[in-house]
Amino acid sequence: MKKKQIILFLLISIGCNDLNKSSILKNDKIDLNSDISKEVKEKEQKGKEVIQTDTTNQVSLEQKLGSIRQNFKRINKIKTWTKTDKRELEESTEGGVATYFFLKDTLLKIVAINFGETGKSVQEYYTMNNELSFVFEQAYSYNRPITWDSTTMIENNDDQVFDLAKSEVMEDRSYFEKGTLIRQVNNQDCGSPFSEDYLKEEEFRLKTGFKDLVDKMEK
């Protein structure tokens, strides 16, 4: 009888221990899964927030650029201007000229051309709501100086004469919103955005150039 009681006691003890171990493992598993799930969800949420923010900023930028481009196209479709004015420029060796375009007394566009012996620069300034909105720049680098004719070519044992069509042309497109340069694109870069410091320098350069031309017109 005592043997049966001892055996029964041992079986009950083993069963309880197994049950306790099972319960502990089960609880540990639940807690572990809960921690991982929480961490994963937090990372996932943060990732969604970053993506959502980036997407929102990109959409907002594209909308602003779209509005600037539409204004650029609208201005260039104008065939008859209320008034145009011109001023001589003396910033290069061969001189230059700035042309001002008005519609109902509102200055919408300035085209400034500076000529040089080995190249020329062209700046087109566009306004929207009486503020600088867009600047299109072209810098021409001639294949030969403008005086390089066939005689000069032979005298210098060369094989080319001046040919505007063979010029290298660098182009910059600069977009402004409320006086701030928000985007600049160059036809020779890889498409990567410029640094904030560089854009600040370009903003100052372009706004100063625009103001100088406006001041020259008003003199």
Side-chain angles (χ1 to χ4, degrees):
M1 182 68 181
K2 290 183 178 180
K3 289 184 180 179
K4 290 182 179 181
Q5 290 177 344
I6 293 171
I7 293 172
L8 180 61
F9 175 76
L10 290 174
L11 289 174
I12 292 172
S13 299
I14 293 171
C16 289
N17 287 336
D18 288 343
L19 181 61
N20 289 336
K21 288 181 181 178
S22 176
S23 177
I24 292 171
L25 290 174
K26 184 178 180 182
N27 289 336
D28 286 346
K29 187 176 181 181
I30 291 173
D31 291 342
L32 183 61
N33 285 340
S34 177
D35 291 342
I36 292 176
S37 178
K38 182 179 179 182
E39 183 179 354
V40 170
K41 286 181 179 179
E42 287 178 352
K43 288 183 178 179
E44 183 181 1
Q45 184 60 33
K46 288 180 181 178
K48 287 180 179 179
E49 289 174 357
V50 171
I51 293 172
Q52 185 175 4
T53 301
D54 290 344
T55 303
T56 301
N57 291 340
Q58 186 63 30
V59 170
S60 177
L61 177 60
E62 287 302 323
Q63 289 175 343
K64 293 173 183 177
L65 297 181
S67 177
I68 295 170
R69 293 184 184 117
Q70 288 178 0
N71 182 68
F72 166 81
K73 292 178 181 179
R74 178 185 65 83
I75 291 175
N76 280 319
K77 285 181 180 180
I78 298 174
K79 301 299 182 182
T80 303
W81 295 94
T82 305
K83 181 178 70 171
T84 59
D85 201 354
K86 290 189 176 184
R87 294 290 186 275
E88 299 253 340
L89 301 176
E90 299 177 354
E91 298 177 6
S92 60
T93 57
E94 301 298 323
V97 61
T99 305
Y100 304 81
F101 299 83
F102 294 85
L103 189 64
K104 297 180 180 180
D105 296 327
T106 300
L107 176 63
L108 293 181
K109 179 179 178 181
I110 302 175
V111 178
I113 305 175
N114 287 284
F115 299 97
E117 187 178 353
T118 59
K120 71 174 180 178
S121 65
V122 181
Q123 290 88 32
E124 298 181 12
Y125 299 85
Y126 295 83
T127 68
M128 182 165 57
N129 299 325
N130 296 313
E131 288 187 320
L132 183 61
S133 171
F134 178 70
V135 183
F136 177 58
E137 299 179 278
Q138 291 180 310
Y140 288 77
S141 181
Y142 299 150
N143 68 316
R144 295 293 185 273
I146 56 176
T147 56
W148 207 267
D149 55 18
S150 56
T151 302
T152 308
M153 177 186 70
I154 295 171
E155 290 175 350
N156 289 272
N157 194 28
D158 197 1
D159 60 352
Q160 291 188 51
V161 297
F162 165 72
D163 186 352
L164 182 62
K166 293 182 179 180
S167 301
E168 291 185 6
V169 185
M170 180 181 292
E171 296 181 352
D172 281 300
R173 291 170 171 80
S174 303
Y175 302 81
F176 286 80
E177 185 200 30
K178 296 180 180 178
T180 300
L181 179 61
I182 60 174
R183 182 69 180 267
Q184 188 177 78
V185 180
N186 182 281
N187 68 331
Q188 295 186 359
D189 66 29
C190 61
S192 300
F194 295 108
S195 69
E196 186 175 345
D197 289 341
Y198 178 79
L199 290 179
K200 285 292 183 183
E201 292 174 1
E202 285 294 279
E203 177 184 311
F204 178 79
R205 177 182 69 85
L206 294 169
K207 290 172 70 173
T208 299
F210 178 68
K211 184 178 183 303
D212 289 345
L213 289 171
V214 172
D215 291 343
K216 189 178 292 290
M217 172 197 68
E218 294 175 347
K219 289 182 179 178

Coordinates of all heavy atoms in Angstrom, one line a residue, residues 130-210:
N130 N 4.7 89.9 -59.1 CA 5.7 91.0 -58.9 C 6.9 90.5 -58.2 O 7.7 91.3 -57.6 CB 5.0 92.1 -58.2 CG 3.9 92.8 -59.0 OD1 4.1 93.1 -60.2 ND2 2.8 93.1 -58.3
E131 N 7.2 89.2 -58.2 CA 8.4 88.7 -57.5 C 9.1 87.8 -58.5 O 8.5 87.2 -59.5 CB 8.1 87.8 -56.3 CG 7.6 88.7 -55.1 CD 7.5 87.8 -53.8 OE1 7.0 86.7 -54.0 OE2 7.9 88.3 -52.8
L132 N 10.4 87.6 -58.3 CA 11.2 86.7 -59.2 C 10.7 85.3 -59.0 O 10.6 84.8 -57.9 CB 12.7 86.8 -58.8 CG 13.7 86.0 -59.6 CD1 13.7 86.4 -61.1 CD2 15.1 86.1 -59.1
S133 N 10.5 84.7 -60.1 CA 9.9 83.3 -60.1 C 10.8 82.3 -60.7 O 10.9 81.2 -60.2 CB 8.5 83.4 -60.8 OG 8.0 82.1 -61.0
F134 N 11.4 82.6 -61.8 CA 12.2 81.6 -62.6 C 13.3 82.3 -63.3 O 13.2 83.4 -63.8 CB 11.3 80.9 -63.6 CG 12.0 79.9 -64.4 CD1 12.5 78.7 -63.8 CD2 12.2 80.1 -65.8 CE1 13.1 77.8 -64.6 CE2 12.8 79.1 -66.6 CZ 13.3 78.0 -66.0
V135 N 14.5 81.7 -63.4 CA 15.6 82.2 -64.1 C 16.2 81.1 -65.0 O 16.5 80.0 -64.5 CB 16.8 82.7 -63.2 CG1 17.9 83.3 -64.0 CG2 16.2 83.7 -62.2
F136 N 16.3 81.4 -66.3 CA 16.9 80.4 -67.2 C 18.2 81.0 -67.7 O 18.2 82.1 -68.3 CB 15.9 80.2 -68.4 CG 16.5 79.3 -69.5 CD1 16.9 78.0 -69.1 CD2 16.6 79.7 -70.8 CE1 17.4 77.1 -70.1 CE2 17.1 78.9 -71.8 CZ 17.5 77.6 -71.4
E137 N 19.3 80.3 -67.5 CA 20.6 80.8 -67.9 C 21.3 79.9 -68.9 O 21.2 78.7 -68.8 CB 21.5 80.9 -66.7 CG 21.0 81.9 -65.6 CD 21.9 81.9 -64.4 OE1 21.8 81.0 -63.5 OE2 22.8 82.8 -64.3
Q138 N 22.0 80.5 -69.8 CA 22.8 79.7 -70.8 C 24.2 80.4 -70.9 O 24.3 81.6 -71.0 CB 22.2 79.8 -72.2 CG 20.9 78.9 -72.3 CD 20.3 79.0 -73.7 OE1 20.1 80.1 -74.3 NE2 20.0 77.8 -74.2
A139 N 25.2 79.6 -70.7 CA 26.6 80.0 -70.9 C 27.2 79.3 -72.1 O 27.4 78.1 -72.0 CB 27.4 79.8 -69.6
Y140 N 27.5 80.1 -73.1 CA 28.1 79.6 -74.3 C 29.6 79.6 -74.3 O 30.2 80.7 -73.9 CB 27.7 80.3 -75.6 CG 26.2 80.1 -76.0 CD1 25.2 80.7 -75.2 CD2 25.9 79.3 -77.0 CE1 23.8 80.5 -75.6 CE2 24.6 79.1 -77.4 CZ 23.6 79.7 -76.7 OH 22.2 79.6 -77.1
S141 N 30.3 78.5 -74.6 CA 31.7 78.5 -74.7 C 32.0 78.2 -76.2 O 31.8 77.1 -76.6 CB 32.3 77.4 -73.8 OG 33.7 77.4 -73.9
Y142 N 32.5 79.2 -76.9 CA 32.8 79.0 -78.3 C 33.9 78.0 -78.6 O 34.8 77.9 -77.8 CB 33.1 80.4 -79.0 CG 32.0 81.4 -78.8 CD1 32.4 82.8 -78.8 CD2 30.7 81.1 -78.8 CE1 31.4 83.8 -78.7 CE2 29.7 82.1 -78.7 CZ 30.1 83.4 -78.6 OH 29.1 84.4 -78.5
N143 N 33.8 77.4 -79.8 CA 34.9 76.5 -80.2 C 36.1 77.2 -80.5 O 37.3 76.7 -80.4 CB 34.4 75.7 -81.4 CG 34.2 76.5 -82.7 OD1 33.7 77.6 -82.6 ND2 34.7 76.0 -83.8
R144 N 36.0 78.5 -81.0 CA 37.1 79.4 -81.3 C 36.7 80.8 -81.1 O 35.5 81.1 -81.0 CB 37.6 79.2 -82.8 CG 38.1 77.9 -83.2 CD 39.4 77.6 -82.5 NE 40.1 76.4 -83.0 CZ 39.8 75.2 -82.5 NH1 38.9 75.1 -81.5 NH2 40.5 74.1 -82.9
P145 N 37.6 81.8 -80.9 CA 37.2 83.2 -80.7 C 36.4 83.7 -81.9 O 36.5 83.1 -83.0 CB 38.6 83.9 -80.6 CG 39.5 82.8 -80.1 CD 39.1 81.6 -80.7
I146 N 35.6 84.7 -81.7 CA 34.7 85.2 -82.7 C 35.5 85.7 -83.9 O 34.9 85.8 -85.0 CB 33.7 86.2 -82.2 CG1 34.5 87.4 -81.5 CG2 32.7 85.6 -81.2 CD1 33.6 88.5 -81.0
T147 N 36.7 86.1 -83.7 CA 37.5 86.7 -84.8 C 38.3 85.6 -85.6 O 39.1 85.9 -86.5 CB 38.6 87.7 -84.3 OG1 39.4 87.0 -83.2 CG2 37.8 88.9 -83.6
W148 N 38.1 84.3 -85.2 CA 38.9 83.2 -85.8 C 38.2 82.8 -87.1 O 37.4 81.9 -87.2 CB 38.8 82.0 -84.8 CG 40.0 81.1 -84.9 CD1 40.1 80.0 -85.7 CD2 41.3 81.2 -84.2 NE1 41.3 79.4 -85.5 CE2 42.1 80.1 -84.6 CE3 41.8 82.2 -83.3 CZ2 43.4 79.9 -84.1 CZ3 43.1 82.0 -82.9 CH2 43.8 80.9 -83.2
D149 N 38.7 83.5 -88.2 CA 38.2 83.2 -89.5 C 39.1 82.2 -90.3 O 40.1 81.7 -89.7 CB 38.0 84.5 -90.4 CG 39.3 85.3 -90.4 OD1 40.4 84.8 -90.2 OD2 39.2 86.5 -90.7
S150 N 38.9 82.0 -91.5 CA 39.7 81.1 -92.3 C 41.1 81.5 -92.4 O 42.1 80.7 -92.4 CB 39.1 80.9 -93.7 OG 39.0 82.1 -94.4
T151 N 41.4 82.8 -92.5 CA 42.8 83.3 -92.6 C 43.5 83.0 -91.3 O 44.7 82.5 -91.3 CB 42.8 84.8 -92.8 OG1 42.1 85.1 -94.1 CG2 44.2 85.4 -92.9
T152 N 42.9 83.3 -90.2 CA 43.5 83.1 -88.8 C 43.7 81.6 -88.7 O 44.7 81.1 -88.1 CB 42.6 83.6 -87.7 OG1 42.2 84.9 -88.0 CG2 43.3 83.5 -86.4
M153 N 42.8 80.8 -89.1 CA 42.9 79.3 -89.0 C 44.2 78.8 -89.7 O 44.9 78.0 -89.2 CB 41.7 78.6 -89.6 CG 41.7 77.1 -89.6 SD 40.3 76.4 -90.5 CE 40.7 76.8 -92.2
I154 N 44.4 79.3 -90.9 CA 45.5 78.9 -91.7 C 46.8 79.4 -91.1 O 47.8 78.6 -91.0 CB 45.4 79.4 -93.2 CG1 44.2 78.7 -93.9 CG2 46.7 79.1 -93.9 CD1 43.9 79.3 -95.2
E155 N 46.8 80.6 -90.7 CA 48.0 81.2 -90.0 C 48.4 80.5 -88.8 O 49.6 80.4 -88.4 CB 47.7 82.7 -89.7 CG 47.6 83.6 -90.9 CD 47.3 85.0 -90.5 OE1 46.9 85.2 -89.3 OE2 47.3 85.9 -91.4
N156 N 47.4 79.9 -88.1 CA 47.7 79.1 -86.8 C 47.7 77.6 -87.0 O 47.7 76.9 -86.0 CB 46.7 79.5 -85.8 CG 46.9 81.0 -85.3 OD1 47.6 81.2 -84.3 ND2 46.2 81.9 -85.9
N157 N 47.8 77.2 -88.3 CA 47.8 75.8 -88.6 C 46.7 75.0 -87.9 O 46.9 74.0 -87.3 CB 49.2 75.2 -88.2 CG 49.4 73.8 -88.8 OD1 48.9 73.5 -89.9 ND2 50.2 73.0 -88.1
D158 N 45.5 75.6 -87.9 CA 44.3 75.1 -87.2 C 43.4 74.4 -88.3 O 43.6 74.6 -89.5 CB 43.6 76.2 -86.5 CG 42.6 75.6 -85.4 OD1 42.6 74.4 -85.3 OD2 42.0 76.5 -84.8
D159 N 42.4 73.7 -87.8 CA 41.5 73.1 -88.7 C 40.0 73.5 -88.5 O 39.1 72.9 -89.0 CB 41.6 71.5 -88.6 CG 41.2 71.1 -87.2 OD1 41.1 71.9 -86.3 OD2 41.1 69.8 -87.0
Q160 N 39.8 74.6 -87.7 CA 38.5 75.1 -87.4 C 38.4 76.6 -87.5 O 39.4 77.3 -87.2 CB 38.0 74.6 -86.0 CG 37.7 73.1 -85.9 CD 37.1 72.8 -84.6 OE1 36.1 73.4 -84.2 NE2 37.6 71.8 -83.9
V161 N 37.2 77.1 -87.8 CA 36.9 78.5 -87.7 C 35.9 78.7 -86.7 O 35.3 77.7 -86.2 CB 36.5 79.1 -89.1 CG1 37.6 79.0 -90.1 CG2 35.2 78.4 -89.5
F162 N 35.6 79.9 -86.3 CA 34.5 80.2 -85.3 C 33.2 79.6 -85.9 O 32.8 80.0 -87.0 CB 34.4 81.7 -85.0 CG 33.1 82.0 -84.3 CD1 32.9 81.7 -83.0 CD2 32.1 82.7 -85.0 CE1 31.7 82.0 -82.3 CE2 30.9 83.0 -84.3 CZ 30.7 82.7 -83.0
D163 N 32.5 78.9 -85.1 CA 31.2 78.3 -85.4 C 30.3 78.2 -84.2 O 30.5 77.4 -83.3 CB 31.4 76.9 -86.1 CG 30.1 76.3 -86.6 OD1 29.0 76.9 -86.4 OD2 30.1 75.3 -87.3
L164 N 29.3 79.1 -84.2 CA 28.4 79.1 -83.0 C 27.8 77.8 -82.7 O 27.5 77.4 -81.6 CB 27.3 80.2 -83.2 CG 26.4 80.4 -82.1 CD1 27.1 80.9 -80.8 CD2 25.3 81.4 -82.5
A165 N 27.5 77.0 -83.8 CA 26.8 75.8 -83.6 C 27.7 74.7 -82.9 O 27.1 73.7 -82.4 CB 26.4 75.2 -85.0
K166 N 29.0 75.0 -82.8 CA 29.9 74.0 -82.2 C 30.2 74.4 -80.7 O 31.0 73.9 -80.1 CB 31.2 73.9 -83.0 CG 31.0 73.3 -84.3 CD 32.4 73.2 -85.0 CE 32.2 72.5 -86.4 NZ 33.5 72.3 -87.1
S167 N 29.4 75.4 -80.3 CA 29.6 75.9 -78.9 C 29.2 74.8 -77.9 O 28.2 74.1 -78.1 CB 28.9 77.2 -78.6 OG 29.3 78.2 -79.5
E168 N 29.9 74.8 -76.7 CA 29.4 74.0 -75.6 C 28.4 75.0 -74.8 O 28.8 76.1 -74.5 CB 30.5 73.6 -74.7 CG 31.4 72.5 -75.4 CD 32.5 72.0 -74.4 OE1 32.4 72.4 -73.2 OE2 33.3 71.2 -74.9
V169 N 27.3 74.5 -74.4 CA 26.3 75.3 -73.7 C 25.9 74.7 -72.4 O 25.5 73.5 -72.3 CB 25.0 75.5 -74.6 CG1 24.1 76.4 -73.9 CG2 25.3 75.9 -76.0
M170 N 26.1 75.5 -71.3 CA 25.7 75.0 -70.0 C 24.4 75.8 -69.7 O 24.3 77.0 -69.9 CB 26.8 75.4 -69.0 CG 26.4 74.9 -67.5 SD 27.7 75.4 -66.3 CE 29.0 74.2 -66.8
E171 N 23.5 75.0 -69.1 CA 22.2 75.6 -68.8 C 21.8 75.4 -67.4 O 22.1 74.3 -66.8 CB 21.1 75.0 -69.7 CG 21.2 75.3 -71.2 CD 20.1 74.7 -72.0 OE1 19.3 73.9 -71.4 OE2 20.0 74.9 -73.2
D172 N 21.2 76.4 -66.8 CA 20.7 76.4 -65.4 C 19.3 76.8 -65.4 O 18.9 77.8 -66.0 CB 21.6 77.3 -64.4 CG 22.9 76.6 -64.0 OD1 22.8 75.5 -63.4 OD2 23.9 77.2 -64.3
R173 N 18.5 76.1 -64.6 CA 17.1 76.5 -64.4 C 16.9 76.6 -62.9 O 17.1 75.7 -62.1 CB 16.1 75.4 -65.0 CG 16.1 75.4 -66.5 CD 15.3 74.1 -67.0 NE 15.1 74.2 -68.4 CZ 16.1 73.8 -69.3 NH1 17.2 73.3 -68.9 NH2 15.8 73.8 -70.6
S174 N 16.5 77.8 -62.5 CA 16.4 78.1 -61.0 C 14.9 78.5 -60.7 O 14.4 79.5 -61.4 CB 17.3 79.3 -60.6 OG 18.7 78.9 -61.0
Y175 N 14.3 77.9 -59.7 CA 12.9 78.1 -59.4 C 12.8 78.8 -58.0 O 13.4 78.3 -57.0 CB 12.2 76.7 -59.3 CG 12.3 75.9 -60.6 CD1 13.4 75.2 -60.9 CD2 11.2 75.9 -61.5 CE1 13.4 74.5 -62.1 CE2 11.2 75.2 -62.7 CZ 12.3 74.5 -63.0 OH 12.4 73.7 -64.1
F176 N 12.0 79.9 -58.0 CA 11.9 80.6 -56.8 C 10.4 80.6 -56.3 O 9.5 80.6 -57.1 CB 12.2 82.1 -57.0 CG 13.7 82.4 -57.1 CD1 14.4 82.1 -58.3 CD2 14.4 82.9 -56.0 CE1 15.7 82.3 -58.4 CE2 15.8 83.1 -56.1 CZ 16.5 82.9 -57.3
E177 N 10.3 80.6 -55.0 CA 8.9 80.8 -54.4 C 9.0 81.8 -53.2 O 9.8 81.6 -52.3 CB 8.4 79.5 -53.8 CG 7.0 79.6 -53.3 CD 6.6 78.5 -52.4 OE1 7.4 78.0 -51.6 OE2 5.4 78.2 -52.3
K178 N 8.3 82.9 -53.4 CA 8.3 83.9 -52.4 C 9.7 84.4 -52.0 O 10.1 84.5 -50.8 CB 7.6 83.5 -51.1 CG 6.1 83.2 -51.4 CD 5.4 82.7 -50.1 CE 3.9 82.4 -50.4 NZ 3.2 81.9 -49.2
G179 N 10.6 84.5 -53.0 CA 11.9 85.1 -52.8 C 12.9 84.0 -52.4 O 14.1 84.4 -52.2
T180 N 12.5 82.7 -52.3 CA 13.5 81.7 -51.9 C 13.7 80.7 -53.1 O 12.8 80.3 -53.7 CB 12.9 80.9 -50.7 OG1 12.7 81.8 -49.6 CG2 13.9 79.8 -50.3
L181 N 15.0 80.4 -53.3 CA 15.3 79.5 -54.3 C 15.0 78.1 -53.8 O 15.7 77.6 -52.9 CB 16.8 79.6 -54.7 CG 17.4 78.6 -55.8 CD1 16.7 78.8 -57.1 CD2 18.9 78.8 -55.9
I182 N 14.1 77.4 -54.4 CA 13.6 76.1 -53.9 C 14.2 74.9 -54.8 O 14.2 73.8 -54.3 CB 12.1 76.0 -53.9 CG1 11.5 76.2 -55.3 CG2 11.5 77.0 -52.9 CD1 10.0 76.0 -55.3
R183 N 14.7 75.2 -56.0 CA 15.2 74.1 -56.8 C 16.1 74.7 -57.9 O 15.8 75.8 -58.5 CB 14.0 73.3 -57.4 CG 14.5 72.2 -58.3 CD 15.1 71.1 -57.5 NE 15.5 69.9 -58.3 CZ 14.7 68.9 -58.5 NH1 13.5 68.8 -58.0 NH2 15.2 67.9 -59.2
Q184 N 17.2 74.1 -58.2 CA 18.0 74.4 -59.3 C 18.4 73.2 -60.1 O 18.8 72.2 -59.5 CB 19.3 75.2 -58.9 CG 20.1 75.8 -60.1 CD 21.2 76.6 -59.6 OE1 22.3 76.1 -59.2 NE2 21.1 78.0 -59.6
V185 N 18.4 73.3 -61.4 CA 18.7 72.1 -62.3 C 19.7 72.6 -63.3 O 19.6 73.6 -63.9 CB 17.5 71.6 -63.0 CG1 17.8 70.4 -63.9 CG2 16.4 71.2 -62.0
N186 N 20.8 71.7 -63.4 CA 21.8 72.0 -64.4 C 21.9 70.9 -65.4 O 21.8 69.7 -65.1 CB 23.2 72.2 -63.7 CG 24.3 72.5 -64.6 OD1 24.9 71.6 -65.3 ND2 24.7 73.8 -64.6
N187 N 22.1 71.2 -66.7 CA 22.1 70.2 -67.7 C 23.3 69.3 -67.8 O 23.4 68.4 -68.5 CB 21.9 70.9 -69.1 CG 23.1 71.7 -69.6 OD1 23.8 72.2 -68.7 ND2 23.3 71.8 -70.9
Q188 N 24.3 69.7 -66.9 CA 25.5 68.9 -66.9 C 25.7 68.1 -65.6 O 26.8 67.5 -65.4 CB 26.7 69.8 -67.2 CG 26.7 70.4 -68.6 CD 28.0 71.1 -69.0 OE1 28.9 71.2 -68.1 NE2 28.0 71.7 -70.2
D189 N 24.8 68.2 -64.7 CA 25.0 67.5 -63.4 C 24.2 66.1 -63.5 O 23.6 65.8 -64.5 CB 24.5 68.3 -62.2 CG 23.0 68.5 -62.2 OD1 22.3 67.7 -62.8 OD2 22.6 69.6 -61.7
C190 N 24.4 65.3 -62.5 CA 23.8 64.0 -62.5 C 22.4 63.9 -62.0 O 21.8 62.9 -61.9 CB 24.7 63.1 -61.7 SG 24.8 63.6 -59.9
G191 N 21.8 65.1 -61.6 CA 20.4 65.1 -61.2 C 20.3 65.2 -59.6 O 19.2 65.3 -59.1
S192 N 21.4 65.0 -58.9 CA 21.4 65.1 -57.5 C 21.1 66.5 -57.0 O 21.6 67.5 -57.6 CB 22.7 64.6 -56.9 OG 23.0 63.3 -57.3
P193 N 20.3 66.6 -55.9 CA 20.0 68.0 -55.4 C 21.3 68.7 -54.9 O 22.2 68.0 -54.3 CB 19.0 67.7 -54.3 CG 19.3 66.3 -53.9 CD 19.7 65.6 -55.1
F194 N 21.3 70.0 -55.1 CA 22.5 70.8 -54.6 C 22.3 71.0 -53.1 O 21.3 70.9 -52.5 CB 22.5 72.1 -55.3 CG 22.8 72.0 -56.8 CD1 21.8 72.3 -57.7 CD2 24.1 71.7 -57.2 CE1 22.1 72.2 -59.1 CE2 24.4 71.6 -58.6 CZ 23.4 71.8 -59.5
S195 N 23.5 71.3 -52.4 CA 23.5 71.5 -51.0 C 22.8 72.8 -50.7 O 22.6 73.7 -51.5 CB 24.9 71.6 -50.5 OG 25.6 72.8 -50.9
E196 N 22.3 72.9 -49.4 CA 21.6 74.1 -49.0 C 22.5 75.3 -49.0 O 22.0 76.4 -49.4 CB 21.1 73.9 -47.5 CG 20.2 75.0 -47.0 CD 19.6 74.7 -45.6 OE1 19.7 73.5 -45.2 OE2 19.1 75.6 -45.0
D197 N 23.7 75.2 -48.7 CA 24.7 76.3 -48.7 C 24.8 76.8 -50.1 O 24.9 78.0 -50.4 CB 26.0 76.0 -48.1 CG 26.0 75.8 -46.6 OD1 25.0 76.3 -46.0 OD2 26.9 75.1 -46.1
Y198 N 25.0 75.9 -51.1 CA 25.2 76.3 -52.5 C 23.9 77.0 -53.0 O 24.0 78.0 -53.7 CB 25.4 75.0 -53.3 CG 25.6 75.4 -54.8 CD1 26.7 75.9 -55.3 CD2 24.5 75.1 -55.7 CE1 26.9 76.2 -56.7 CE2 24.6 75.4 -57.0 CZ 25.8 75.9 -57.5 OH 25.9 76.2 -58.9
L199 N 22.8 76.5 -52.7 CA 21.5 77.1 -53.1 C 21.4 78.6 -52.5 O 20.9 79.5 -53.2 CB 20.3 76.3 -52.7 CG 20.1 75.0 -53.5 CD1 18.9 74.2 -52.9 CD2 20.0 75.2 -55.0
K200 N 21.8 78.7 -51.3 CA 21.8 80.1 -50.7 C 22.7 81.0 -51.5 O 22.3 82.2 -51.7 CB 22.3 80.0 -49.2 CG 21.2 79.4 -48.3 CD 20.0 80.3 -48.1 CE 19.0 79.8 -47.1 NZ 17.8 80.6 -47.0
E201 N 23.9 80.6 -51.9 CA 24.8 81.4 -52.6 C 24.2 81.8 -54.0 O 24.3 82.9 -54.5 CB 26.1 80.7 -52.8 CG 26.9 80.5 -51.5 CD 28.2 79.7 -51.7 OE1 28.4 79.2 -52.9 OE2 28.9 79.5 -50.8
E202 N 23.6 80.8 -54.6 CA 23.0 81.0 -55.9 C 21.8 81.9 -55.8 O 21.5 82.8 -56.7 CB 22.5 79.7 -56.5 CG 23.6 78.8 -57.1 CD 24.3 79.5 -58.3 OE1 23.7 79.4 -59.4 OE2 25.3 80.2 -58.1
E203 N 21.0 81.8 -54.7 CA 19.9 82.6 -54.5 C 20.3 84.1 -54.4 O 19.7 85.0 -55.0 CB 19.1 82.2 -53.2 CG 18.0 83.1 -52.8 CD 17.4 82.7 -51.5 OE1 17.1 81.5 -51.3 OE2 17.2 83.6 -50.6
F204 N 21.4 84.3 -53.7 CA 21.9 85.7 -53.5 C 22.4 86.2 -54.9 O 22.1 87.4 -55.2 CB 23.1 85.7 -52.5 CG 23.7 87.0 -52.3 CD1 23.1 88.0 -51.5 CD2 24.9 87.3 -52.9 CE1 23.7 89.3 -51.4 CE2 25.5 88.6 -52.8 CZ 24.9 89.5 -52.0
R205 N 23.1 85.4 -55.6 CA 23.7 85.8 -56.9 C 22.5 86.2 -57.9 O 22.6 87.3 -58.5 CB 24.5 84.7 -57.5 CG 25.0 85.0 -58.9 CD 25.8 83.9 -59.5 NE 25.0 82.7 -59.8 CZ 24.3 82.6 -61.0 NH1 24.4 83.5 -61.9 NH2 23.6 81.5 -61.2
L206 N 21.5 85.4 -58.0 CA 20.5 85.6 -59.0 C 19.6 86.8 -58.6 O 19.2 87.6 -59.4 CB 19.6 84.3 -59.1 CG 20.3 83.1 -59.7 CD1 19.5 81.9 -59.6 CD2 20.7 83.4 -61.2
K207 N 19.3 86.9 -57.3 CA 18.4 88.0 -56.8 C 19.2 89.3 -57.0 O 18.6 90.4 -57.3 CB 18.0 87.8 -55.4 CG 17.0 86.6 -55.2 CD 16.7 86.3 -53.8 CE 15.9 87.4 -53.1 NZ 15.5 87.0 -51.7
T208 N 20.5 89.3 -56.7 CA 21.3 90.5 -56.9 C 21.3 90.9 -58.4 O 21.2 92.1 -58.7 CB 22.7 90.3 -56.4 OG1 22.7 90.0 -55.0 CG2 23.6 91.5 -56.6
G209 N 21.5 89.9 -59.3 CA 21.6 90.2 -60.7 C 20.2 90.8 -61.2 O 20.2 91.7 -62.0
F210 N 19.2 90.2 -60.7 CA 17.8 90.7 -61.1 C 17.6 92.2 -60.6 O 17.1 93.0 -61.3 CB 16.8 89.8 -60.5 CG 15.3 90.2 -60.8 CD1 14.8 90.2 -62.1 CD2 14.5 90.6 -59.8 CE1 13.5 90.6 -62.3 CE2 13.2 91.0 -60.0 CZ 12.7 91.0 -61.3

